[in-house]
């Protein structure tokens, strides 16, 4: 018996050693932790249970039969984050550069299947060189098997991808189909084709960092939802994110006790809206003063900054905040903002997270760049997402809600459950100046008349009362009471049930 | 006493005056500009009158508008506060003509002290000590030496047409004078085309000490001792105190007596201040000027005398006699005042205006031996406007001794939270800790001498580092304990409570054990356990309480990888990890931060009005290199160090975002 135990221990030790001391040191020298170290930081200490530690590849070509490392370049299993079940796989760059073989893919597929079956989030950590070329089509088949699980799991369990090293070629498409992607600055990159191929095909000279670094994807492409400074910070933040998410669409999001008073008033919100209607203000201040303990996990902070999306809690229960940001482009809706918010709204809807919307939107962004880029369809995504969402939806108009953008931003007409406005709200087809220039075109030459007409229009529409008189708003509330009112509204909506027409799935304007 | 007065001012001083009026049962009217429509003063006053657009020249400085407001509201008197119309004799005269009482000195006294040269003559006549000097034509070196001999060394040799530090020499003896006099003369001729030179006493280790006087309309004048205001930055007072650590009873009495003589000589009949420069070397003192109004720093005098100066101004203006004589007045303890400004101490004190997203002053009142008072005119959510003085508040503490008052001030500053704009609290906190300031050996050059490279923050002392570590570890332990109460945990897989943590600050790793208790925690460092008592909960921006029996307050803000902590002039980030987590964290090398000291960035978004340097040009620290217009204000962007311009990234007319690099130095 002792011999068998010793043999087991030796096998385990061999698997834990991964690609060996030298490669582990090389990994550290690059500022990266190893696959196992990352799992340790992500999960509660001592909670990780590893699967398939002894799995080896079955390739017999190109001398691969002589190179076998138990585990085959990926560490998989399950553990807990604050006591809640999660499944995890973590690519091991020290073993075959983390490249994907059939056996490696099977390990990932196993945890994906388990996560889906048992209703728990699946977190993938990427740090790998792509397909195991020696395995040829088997490797491609392996990728597709993983992709299929991503698709099955989409909308059923939260799937999170953390890019902590190279992630290129076939490797990028699994993260692309998950709910959230995060990257580590300076030590990770992500692209379909690398700088060498780019150079050959387009003669562009570009570095990996410029082509697919964390800053590029978090800020320019919008592919990733956040970028962090190092492995440690990234994994701490992943723990924080998971605390907002349910295990699956079968359950409500997790609650936790809060130290914050649900009736807390914030008098300073009464002066958040500047006297000058053209002056910006920081919508994040509102979110941070309303959310429990000011805690806000922002999604897509550096992309489409004219809209803010992210998670917070109200009286201990998670909500998704969507808010126009007047500080950037006056909070206008453009392609990036629409795409970003639409995807976030759909995530919240899929996972039973109520949506709280703060509206200060002057409309959609005009211009050829936007129209050529397909603003019509991108804007429609957000409209569609809000309209189809059946989770509790509470909306507060803080200032402008103009034109079609008013309809889009969680309006009553898209089944908004509770719609509030601050006294400073202006709900209208457009700003007074633009409206007057159309309605009273004949008077344009006469500045005095125009000014009088503008004032008339302003007095009539630059307030929340017309909309309130139609019932499009349920109430006009004092800014300082926003937190209290939101919490009350959401409590009343806790058992909301909506029947929808049977369909196979919808056909959102992708 | 008046039934109703009008306050021709704004901000904290308007609020300050209203408070006294309320106590005395006097009704108040404030005037306000467009920018102050919803101000705290307007909210507190019984009545308010709108007087025009935000620029003071169109509102607070327009005498007609003030007079109209008085007539409209039936106020009997006007308190001008300080600044604005407070020292304009025409305004005082105008009110007199309109039969409105001016709560301040008579127009004659304002006029007599208003002119710098006239006031010196008056002072000399009243036998007030003035800086000895020779204003006539000096013939030659021999004549100069004779004059210097009469004045007494050291002397300052100054070009009559001089300015900007040019054409000035100090001579400590005859030899230096013989060298210096011709040099200054030559320099003056070259620089200004005018070789006239004069000589005056050079005040060694100059300190700004002023005497508060108070007179009534019945010829009585008393002084309420001195205030020292030597801690100044670019002639702007930053920290004031009363009494002065320099003065002994004899000097104090002499200065007070001279101040009273001067006040009597001009028939002074209100609160006023006689400013002196005093030498830290020999306690000699010389008259500078007299301010015929309430001073910004008047609260320190109030704290040590127990006399409400605003009340006395109202009473004497109403014709009452002073209720006390000089012999009734005594100094009780020590008071320190810090001016909290909207400015960024880390960026060469660049003004930082905007919305007070968070404004939580420390608690006011009596705390055993010490007192805390905060004179402010703003509330959370108010705007610090570009139109007026960027002072946010005045924080005053009082204690039985100077050091007790300083320590109380430091603690109060620790708990003073401002967010949304930058503030100078870290700098003030650093001064309260600084040994020379604490010793009282200060001069008007203190800030320049003590912080020659500007303010970059300070390193924590060992016991401060321990407190910061305890705060971070406690915050983390509370957060972790709460996280373990989340719903949906696997049965039997609840996470065990951890007590062992490692606090990581840069290279320093401090292992601590945190045992949460009812009102805080026991924090163990090695074999030593310190009790931390606090009611802090996640979401609170300040953690305060007692640590090892000592009261403290530390500002705490969650960051992606830890906690941002601020204490005195220390600002740092502490990461808290389990021992295993700390081991793993150690494997990650610290990133080398990009050297931004060579970058001159725009502190705010705006329009580049001009770039005033070209590549290859040498620049000095503090030199203006560009102008960026933001919110219709032209902001001069200055180099923060010496260097040579390597690259200019923007041209005039371009838009620039906040923190975008305008100019790079080599």
């Amino acid at each position: 018996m002792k011999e068998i135990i010793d043999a087991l221990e030796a096998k385990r030790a061999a698997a834990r050693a991964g690609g060996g001391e030298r490669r582990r040191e090389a990994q550290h020298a690059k500022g990266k932790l190893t696959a196992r170290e990352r799992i340790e930081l992500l999960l509660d200490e001592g909670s990780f249970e590893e699967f398939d530690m002894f799995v080896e590849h079955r390739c017999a070509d190109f001398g691969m039969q002589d190179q076998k490392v138990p585990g085959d370049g990926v560490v998989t299993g399950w553990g807990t984050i604050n006591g809640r079940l999660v499944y995890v796989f973590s690519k091991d760059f020290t073993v075959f550069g983390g490249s994907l073989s059939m056996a490696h893919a099977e390990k990932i597929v196993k945890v994906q299947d388990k996560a889906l079956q048992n209703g728990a989030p699946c977190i993938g950590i990427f740090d790998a060189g792509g397909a195991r070329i020696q395995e040829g089509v088997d490797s491609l088949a392996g990728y597709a098997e993983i992709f299929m699980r991503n698709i099955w799991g989409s909308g059923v369990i939260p799937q999170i991808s953390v890019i902590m090293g190279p992630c290129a070629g076939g490797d990028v498409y699994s993260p692309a189909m998950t709910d959230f992607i995060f990257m580590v600055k300076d030590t990770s990159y992500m692209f379909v084709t690398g700088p060498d191929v780019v150079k050959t095909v387009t003669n562009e000279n570009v570095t990996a960092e410029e082509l697919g670094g964390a800053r590029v994807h978090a800020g320019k492409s919008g592919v990733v939802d956040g970028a962090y400074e190092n492995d440690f910070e990234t994994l701490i933040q992943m723990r924080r994110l998971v605390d907002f998410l349910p295990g699956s669409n079968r359950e409500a999001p997790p609650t936790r006790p809060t130290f914050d008073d649900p009736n807390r008033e914030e008098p300073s919100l009464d002066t958040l809206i500047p006297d000058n209607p053209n002056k910006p203000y920081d919508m994040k201040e509102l979110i941070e003063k309303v959310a429990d303990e000011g805690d806000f996990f922002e999604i897509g902070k550096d992309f489409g900054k004219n809209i803010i999306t992210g998670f917070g809690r109200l009286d201990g229960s998670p909500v998704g905040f969507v808010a126009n940001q007047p500080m950037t482009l006056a909070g206008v809706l453009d392609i990036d903002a629409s795409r970003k918010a639409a995807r976030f709204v759909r995530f919240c809807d899929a996972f039973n997270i109520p949506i709280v919307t703060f509206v200060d939107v002057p409309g959609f962004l005009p211009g050829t760049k936007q129209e050529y880029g397909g603003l019509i369809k991108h804007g429609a995504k957000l409209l569609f997402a809000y309209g189809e969402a059946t989770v509790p939806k509470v909306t507060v108009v803080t200032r402008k809600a103009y034109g079609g953008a008013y309809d889009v931003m969680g309006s009553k007409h898209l089944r908004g459950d509770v719609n509030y406005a601050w006294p400073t709200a202006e709900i209208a087809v457009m700003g007074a100046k633009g409206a007057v220039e159309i309605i009273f075109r004949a008077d344009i030459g006469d500045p005095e008349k125009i000014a009088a007409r503008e004032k008339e229009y302003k007095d009539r529409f630059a307030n929340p009362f017309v909309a309130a008189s139609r019932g499009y708003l349920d109430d006009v509330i004092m800014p300082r009471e926003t937190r209290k009112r939101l919490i009350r509204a959401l409590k009343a909506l806790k058992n909301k049930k909506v029947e929808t027409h049977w369909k196979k799935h919808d056909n959102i304007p992708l | 006493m008046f039934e109703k007065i009008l306050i021709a001012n704004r901000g904290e001083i308007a609020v300050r005056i209203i408070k006294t009026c309320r106590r005395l049962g006097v009704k108040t009217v404030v005037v306000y500009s467009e920018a102050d429509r919803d101000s705290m003063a307007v909210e507190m006053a019984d009545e308010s009158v709108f007087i025009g657009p935000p620029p003071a020249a169109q509102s607070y400085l327009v005498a007609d508008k003030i007079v109209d407001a008085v007539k409209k509201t039936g106020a009997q008197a006007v308190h001008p506060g300080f600044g604005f119309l407070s020292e304009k004799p025409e305004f005082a005269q105008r009110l007199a003509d309109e039969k409105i009482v001016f709560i301040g000195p008579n127009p004659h006294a304002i006029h007599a002290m208003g002119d710098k040269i006239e006031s010196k003559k008056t002072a000399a006549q009243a036998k007030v000590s003035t800086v000895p000097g020779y204003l006539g034509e000096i013939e030659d070196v021999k004549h100069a030496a004779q004059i210097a001999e009469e004045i007494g060394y050291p002397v300052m040799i100054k070009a009559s047409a001089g300015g900007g530090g040019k054409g000035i020499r100090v001579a400590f003896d005859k030899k230096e004078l013989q060298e210096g006099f011709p040099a200054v003369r030559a320099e003056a001729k070259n620089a200004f085309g005018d070789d006239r030179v004069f000589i005056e006493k050079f005040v060694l280790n100059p300190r700004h000490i002023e005497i508060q006087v108070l007179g009534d309309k019945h010829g009585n004048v008393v002084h309420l001792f001195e205030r020292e205001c030597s801690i100044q930055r670019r002639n702007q007072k930053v920290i004031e105190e009363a009494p002065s650590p320099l003065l002994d009873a004899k000097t104090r009495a002499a200065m007070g007596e001279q101040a009273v003589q001067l006040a009597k000589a001009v028939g002074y009949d209100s609160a006023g201040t006689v400013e002196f420069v005093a030498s830290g070397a020999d306690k000699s003192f010389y008259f500078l000027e007299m301010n015929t109004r309430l001073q910004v720093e008047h609260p320190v005098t109030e704290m040590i005398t127990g006399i409400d100066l605003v009340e006395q101004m109202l009473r004497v203006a109403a014709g009452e006699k002073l209720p006390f004589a000089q012999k009734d007045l005594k100094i009780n303890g020590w008071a320190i005042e810090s001016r909290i400004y909207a400015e960024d101490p880390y960026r060469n004190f660049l003004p930082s205006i905007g919305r007070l997203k968070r404004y939580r002053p420390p608690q006011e009142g009596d705390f055993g031996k010490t007192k805390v008072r905060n004179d402010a005119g703003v509330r959370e959510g108010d705007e610090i406007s570009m139109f007026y003085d960027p002072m946010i508040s005045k924080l005053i503490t009082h204690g039985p001794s100077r050091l007790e008052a300083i320590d109380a001030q430091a603690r109060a500053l620790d708990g003073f939270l401002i967010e949304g704009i930058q503030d100078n609290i870290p700098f003030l906190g650093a001064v309260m800790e600084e040994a020379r300031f604490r010793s009282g050996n200060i001069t008007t050059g203190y800030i320049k001498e003590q912080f020659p490279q500007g303010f970059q923050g300070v390193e924590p002392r060992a016991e401060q580092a321990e407190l910061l570590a305890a705060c971070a570890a406690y915050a983390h332990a509370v957060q972790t304990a709460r996280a373990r109460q989340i719903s949906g945990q696997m049965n039997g897989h609840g996470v065990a409570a951890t007590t062992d943590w490692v606090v990581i600050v840069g290279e320093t790793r401090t292992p601590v054990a945190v045992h949460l208790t009812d009102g805080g925690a026991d924090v163990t460092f090695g074999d030593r356990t310190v009790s931390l008592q606090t009611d802090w909960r996640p979401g609170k921006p300040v953690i305060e309480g007692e640590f090892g029996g000592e009261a403290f307050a530390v500002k705490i803000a969650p960051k992606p990888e830890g906690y941002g902590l601020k204490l005195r002039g220390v600002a740092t980030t502490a990461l808290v990890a389990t021992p295993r987590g700390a081991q793993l964290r150690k494997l990650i090398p610290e990133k080398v931060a990009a050297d931004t000291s060579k970058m001159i960035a725009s502190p705010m978004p705006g329009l580049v009005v001009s770039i005033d340097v070209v590549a290859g040009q040498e620049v000095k620290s503090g030199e203006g290199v560009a102008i960026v217009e933001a919110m219709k204000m032209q902001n001069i962007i200055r180099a923060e160090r010496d260097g040579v311009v390597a690259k200019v990234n923007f041209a005039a007319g371009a838009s620039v975002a906040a923190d975008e690099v305008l100019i790079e130095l080599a």
Side-chain angles (χ1 to χ4, degrees):
Chain A
M1 185 66 189
K2 173 139 192 325
E3 267 168 47
I4 299 172
I5 292 170
D6 286 348
L8 174 64
E9 274 313 312
K11 267 189 172 298
R12 281 194 197 280
R16 287 199 189 101
E21 183 72 28
R22 197 174 53 81
R23 287 213 178 84
R24 283 206 307 274
E25 273 172 19
Q27 178 83 352
H28 290 149
K30 285 182 205 146
K32 301 194 293 184
L33 296 176
T34 65
R36 281 193 167 73
E37 289 164 350
R38 286 167 173 163
I39 290 175
E40 271 191 83
L41 283 175
L42 175 67
L43 302 179
D44 296 335
E45 278 191 34
S47 75
F48 180 53
E49 182 170 325
E50 187 169 346
F51 292 153
D52 298 338
M53 196 178 207
F54 311 122
V55 163
E56 293 173 349
H57 71 77
R58 301 182 291 273
C59 180
D61 296 314
F62 309 105
M64 286 299 283
Q65 64 275 19
D66 303 327
Q67 298 180 46
K68 292 200 176 184
V69 180
D72 204 35
V74 63
V75 181
T76 63
W78 67 275
T80 57
I81 290 179
N82 286 317
R84 295 168 67 232
L85 175 65
V86 295
Y87 285 87
V88 59
F89 62 89
S90 177
K91 302 239 180 188
D92 188 348
F93 193 77
T94 68
V95 176
F96 306 122
S99 63
L100 186 127
S101 70
M102 193 51 169
H104 175 126
E106 284 164 359
K107 287 182 67 173
I108 295 175
V109 164
K110 191 191 263 184
V111 292
Q112 287 181 303
D113 285 342
K114 290 263 192 264
L116 187 53
Q117 175 191 302
N118 300 332
C122 185
I123 302 169
I125 297 174
F126 292 80
D127 182 4
R132 184 119 15 114
I133 296 165
Q134 295 89 335
E135 291 208 6
V137 72
D138 273 350
S139 180
L140 300 181
Y143 271 124
E145 292 289 336
I146 295 169
F147 299 158
M148 202 58 234
R149 267 71 182 181
N150 286 133
I151 296 161
W152 284 335
S154 182
V156 183
I157 52 166
Q159 300 181 76
I160 300 169
S161 302
V162 197
I163 316 299
M164 309 189 90
C167 181
D171 262 359
V172 301
Y173 283 108
S174 171
M177 288 189 291
T178 58
D179 297 301
F180 300 109
I181 312 178
F182 296 92
M183 289 180 82
V184 187
K185 288 180 196 166
D186 305 318
T187 50
S188 75
Y189 54 82
M190 213 185 166
F191 34 63
V192 179
T193 47
D196 296 341
V197 180
V198 169
K199 170 81 184 155
T200 317
V201 177
T202 69
N203 211 25
E204 259 180 300
N205 273 317
V206 64
T207 64
E209 178 69 24
E210 287 164 355
L211 187 62
R215 288 173 189 87
V216 170
H217 284 312
K220 271 207 179 102
S221 73
V223 165
V224 314
D225 300 286
Y228 298 105
E229 288 303 323
N230 57 51
D231 284 15
F232 192 92
E233 180 175 302
T234 309
L235 295 164
I236 290 179
Q237 291 299 319
M238 293 304 100
R239 287 178 63 88
R240 188 172 156 233
L241 173 61
V242 168
D243 279 355
F244 287 99
L245 311 179
S248 74
N249 64 349
R250 302 193 287 271
E251 48 181 74
T255 57
R256 64 177 208 193
T258 175
F259 295 110
D260 212 341
D261 177 2
N263 294 317
R264 173 168 55 83
E265 291 196 356
E266 285 285 343
S268 62
L269 289 179
D270 292 351
T271 54
L272 180 63
I273 307 296
D275 291 338
N276 177 349
N278 296 322
K279 205 177 149 195
Y281 60 95
D282 188 0
M283 189 65 98
K284 267 185 206 164
E285 181 178 336
L286 171 57
I287 297 173
E288 283 165 6
K289 285 187 174 174
V290 163
D292 284 358
E293 298 159 22
D295 186 18
F296 179 54
F297 189 98
E298 192 168 356
I299 297 291
K301 178 164 79 73
D302 301 316
F303 179 74
K305 292 190 201 170
N306 29 337
I307 207 157
I308 306 168
T309 56
F311 300 107
R313 290 184 186 79
L314 288 172
D315 205 23
S317 295
V319 297
F321 285 106
V322 180
N324 308 109
Q325 171 58 292
M327 297 283 274
T328 304
L329 293 170
V332 76
L333 287 179
D334 60 1
I335 293 171
D336 291 352
S338 303
R339 273 175 50 205
K340 168 173 144 182
R343 189 159 167 76
F344 182 76
V345 166
R346 278 169 66 90
F347 177 86
C348 291
D349 187 44
F351 291 99
N352 313 316
I353 299 171
I355 298 162
V356 172
T357 307
F358 294 135
V359 185
D360 185 352
V361 64
F364 282 96
L365 183 63
T368 51
K369 203 174 158 205
Q370 292 291 316
E371 296 294 352
Y372 294 177
L375 177 63
I376 294 172
K377 284 220 167 182
H378 292 296
K381 288 176 184 171
L382 183 55
L383 172 65
F384 199 113
Y386 263 114
E388 72 171 343
T390 56
V391 288
K393 293 184 282 193
V394 183
T395 299
V396 182
V397 180
T398 60
R399 190 164 65 174
K400 295 168 192 162
Y402 287 169
Y406 153 71
D407 277 344
V408 171
M409 294 299 300
S411 67
K412 201 69 179 170
H413 326 292
L414 297 181
R415 302 194 289 177
D417 291 301
V418 179
N419 292 65
Y420 291 132
W422 285 4
T424 41
E426 303 173 21
I427 298 161
V429 176
M430 57 177 71
K433 192 167 175 291
V436 164
E437 280 170 5
I438 293 168
I439 306 174
F440 303 102
R441 189 161 295 185
D443 297 339
I444 282 180
D446 186 341
E448 235 165 74
K449 255 191 193 164
I450 284 285
R453 296 293 195 191
E454 219 178 295
K455 187 174 178 307
E456 195 184 326
Y457 191 92
K458 251 192 192 146
D459 292 347
R460 177 89 179 92
F461 291 110
N463 59 61
F465 301 111
V466 180
S469 73
R470 303 280 197 280
Y472 301 157
L473 294 172
D474 298 293
D475 199 0
V476 178
I477 62 169
M478 279 307 286
R480 64 168 69 204
E481 293 179 346
T482 305
R483 171 177 162 83
K484 191 162 83 177
R485 300 295 295 262
L486 287 174
I487 289 173
R488 276 176 61 88
L490 288 169
K491 290 230 159 111
L493 291 165
K494 198 164 177 242
N495 298 313
K496 177 184 176 186
K497 261 218 149 53
V498 182
E499 295 295 326
T500 48
H501 301 285
W502 185 90
K503 56 172 95 171
K504 194 172 164 201
H505 62 70
D506 58 44
N507 188 20
I508 189 167
L510 287 176
Chain B
M1 182 46 77
F2 308 110
E3 275 161 27
K4 190 198 271 186
I5 68 157
L6 182 140
I7 299 159
N9 215 304
R10 61 175 301 284
E12 67 89 13
I13 190 58
V15 169
R16 158 77 192 85
I17 295 165
I18 293 169
K19 281 183 183 164
T20 289
C21 289
R22 277 185 174 179
R23 189 167 54 75
L24 300 177
V26 175
K27 292 227 175 326
T28 51
V29 182
V30 290
V31 291
Y32 64 93
S33 76
E34 186 70 51
D36 289 330
R37 193 174 283 281
D38 299 313
S39 75
M40 188 173 172
V42 169
E43 186 189 272
M44 285 177 70
D46 296 301
E47 288 173 64
S48 57
V49 180
F50 176 69
I51 50 160
Q58 295 168 49
S59 49
Y60 295 105
L61 285 168
V62 183
D64 285 346
K65 290 187 177 178
I66 307 294
V67 171
D68 286 349
V70 172
K71 287 182 176 162
K72 201 168 126 192
T73 55
Q76 297 154 294
V78 173
H79 197 305
F82 39 68
F84 297 138
L85 295 168
S86 61
E87 288 183 285
K88 300 249 184 299
E90 317 83 76
F91 180 64
Q93 189 58 54
R94 170 80 191 277
L95 291 183
D97 297 346
E98 302 268 1
K99 305 269 181 289
I100 303 164
V101 179
F102 179 70
I103 304 173
N106 61 73
H108 163 75
I110 301 178
H111 184 80
M113 288 295 113
D115 186 280
K116 302 268 182 262
I117 294 168
E118 284 304 307
S119 70
K120 275 192 180 141
K121 281 187 186 157
T122 312
Q125 280 159 17
K127 301 216 165 52
V128 174
S129 125
T130 52
V131 181
Y134 186 81
L135 294 171
E137 193 94 359
I138 302 170
E139 292 154 24
D140 52 20
V141 181
K142 204 174 151 200
H143 186 196
Q146 189 192 329
I147 293 164
E149 223 53 66
E150 277 164 30
I151 295 171
Y153 290 101
V155 297
M156 188 158 58
I157 315 158
K158 235 169 153 179
S160 298
K166 274 190 177 166
I168 293 184
R169 292 257 176 132
V170 175
F172 282 83
D173 53 37
K174 194 171 174 183
K175 187 165 163 281
E176 285 182 15
L177 181 106
Q178 283 167 338
E179 284 163 16
F181 182 78
V184 171
R185 206 165 223 191
E187 231 172 84
K189 176 123 192 146
N190 278 336
F192 316 111
D194 176 353
D195 70 351
R196 282 178 307 153
V197 163
F198 70 92
I199 292 177
E200 68 176 25
K201 175 88 183 168
F202 176 71
V203 180
L204 213 53
N205 305 339
R207 302 170 67 132
H208 179 114
I209 297 175
E210 58 189 30
I211 302 286
Q212 175 71 51
V213 296
L214 188 59
D216 62 17
K217 291 186 196 299
H218 307 276
N220 302 305
V221 181
V222 296
H223 71 85
L224 279 72
F225 315 106
E226 79 281 6
R227 292 183 288 261
E228 171 148 14
C229 320
S230 294
I231 310 298
Q232 307 181 351
R233 207 182 61 80
R234 296 201 186 136
N235 294 323
Q236 173 81 268
K237 294 169 187 168
V238 180
I239 296 167
E240 300 104 339
E241 61 186 298
S244 159
L246 178 72
L247 299 196
D248 48 35
K250 199 177 130 218
T251 319
R252 176 172 297 127
M255 286 176 85
E257 206 171 300
Q258 290 197 5
V260 169
Q261 274 167 31
L262 178 63
K264 281 190 170 159
V266 294
Y268 205 82
D269 52 357
S270 185
T273 296
V274 182
E275 294 191 344
F276 293 93
V277 57
S279 168
D282 59 4
K283 294 194 176 73
S284 60
F285 59 89
Y286 310 99
F287 171 78
L288 285 179
E289 60 177 324
M290 179 167 185
N291 294 323
T292 56
R293 56 169 159 83
L294 192 65
Q295 298 271 98
V296 176
E297 60 272 23
H298 74 274
V300 290
T301 298
E302 297 185 328
M303 297 290 267
I304 61 157
T305 58
I307 290 165
D308 181 332
L309 283 167
V310 173
E311 176 185 346
Q312 294 309 323
M313 286 179 82
L314 257 67
R315 290 194 183 283
V316 296
E320 292 183 27
K321 271 190 185 165
L322 284 180
F324 37 71
Q326 192 65 53
K327 63 171 171 39
D328 305 324
L329 299 169
K330 297 234 155 31
I331 295 177
N332 165 35
W334 213 285
I336 300 273
E337 173 181 284
S338 289
R339 297 194 189 186
I340 317 283
Y341 282 110
E343 60 188 17
D344 187 348
Y346 302 101
R347 282 180 161 174
N348 207 13
F349 300 90
L350 194 79
S352 173
I353 52 169
R355 177 176 160 84
L356 289 169
K357 195 170 138 190
R358 291 268 178 224
Y359 171 78
R360 305 275 163 89
Q363 207 188 333
E364 293 180 68
D366 284 18
F367 302 92
K369 289 191 288 183
T370 59
K371 285 191 191 74
V372 176
R373 165 176 167 182
N374 183 46
D375 278 19
V378 291
R379 299 150 298 188
E380 187 165 291
D382 282 356
E383 190 97 5
I384 300 297
S385 145
M386 61 184 180
F387 295 106
Y388 312 109
D389 188 68
M391 194 169 77
I392 303 169
S393 95
K394 303 183 305 207
L395 181 65
I396 309 108
T397 51
H398 180 266
S401 69
R402 184 166 186 267
L403 284 181
E404 283 160 300
I406 289 174
D407 287 337
Q409 177 74 218
R411 258 199 316 279
L413 287 167
D414 285 339
F416 202 138
L417 181 85
I418 293 170
E419 282 173 20
I421 57 174
Q422 298 297 320
D423 59 72
N424 63 340
I425 290 172
F427 173 73
L428 296 166
V431 173
M432 294 303 146
E433 289 278 296
E434 196 278 318
R436 182 176 155 202
F437 174 74
R438 293 177 74 87
S439 78
N441 177 24
I442 50 180
T443 68
T444 51
Y446 171 84
I447 291 180
K448 225 165 49 186
E449 289 153 22
Q450 238 30 64
F451 301 90
Q453 307 300 322
F455 179 68
Q456 267 97 39
V458 295
E459 291 297 314
R461 287 183 279 108
E463 67 269 26
Q464 290 178 326
E466 194 164 87
L467 167 63
L468 292 173
C471 287
Y474 175 73
H476 198 69
V478 172
Q479 299 263 34
T480 314
R482 193 262 300 274
R484 285 198 303 268
Q485 297 177 49
I486 198 165
S487 67
Q489 297 187 40
M490 292 174 77
N491 264 346
H493 280 77
V495 190
T498 340
T499 54
D500 289 341
W501 303 100
V502 179
V503 181
I504 306 170
V505 177
E507 296 289 295
T508 315
R509 287 162 174 261
T510 314
V512 293
V514 180
H515 292 272
L516 296 179
T517 58
D518 268 352
D522 289 327
V523 185
T524 307
F525 300 84
D527 54 2
R528 214 159 34 82
T529 298
V530 187
S531 161
L532 174 69
Q533 266 154 16
T534 176
D535 63 355
W536 183 85
R537 290 292 171 261
K540 286 194 181 181
V542 177
I543 171 166
E544 52 192 327
E546 284 188 7
F547 181 62
E550 289 276 320
F552 76 92
V554 169
K555 283 159 211 157
I556 183 164
K559 294 214 167 166
E561 206 191 357
Y563 301 89
L565 300 166
K566 283 186 189 167
L567 172 70
R568 310 285 148 107
V570 180
T572 186
T573 300
L575 194 162
V576 186
T578 60
R580 176 61 182 151
Q583 271 178 4
L584 293 175
R585 182 64 183 77
K586 204 167 198 169
L587 297 169
I588 301 171
E590 285 305 318
K591 286 185 190 179
V592 185
D595 183 6
T596 53
S597 66
K598 290 180 179 172
M599 310 286 176
I600 304 174
S602 176
M604 71 288 272
L607 184 80
V608 179
V609 175
S610 72
I611 297 281
D612 306 325
V613 291
V614 291
Q617 186 177 334
E618 210 171 300
V619 292
K620 289 265 171 250
S621 174
E623 188 178 325
V625 292
I627 297 173
V628 173
E629 186 183 286
M631 293 180 286
K632 293 179 184 161
M633 283 272 285
Q634 298 215 333
N635 300 278
I636 299 172
I637 312 299
R638 297 175 189 281
E640 284 172 27
R641 49 174 268 176
D642 297 352
V644 175
V645 177
K647 208 169 148 212
V648 175
N649 296 332
F650 284 84
S655 296
V656 61
D659 292 324
E660 265 194 290
V661 176
L662 295 168
I663 288 156
E664 295 171 30
L665 301 182

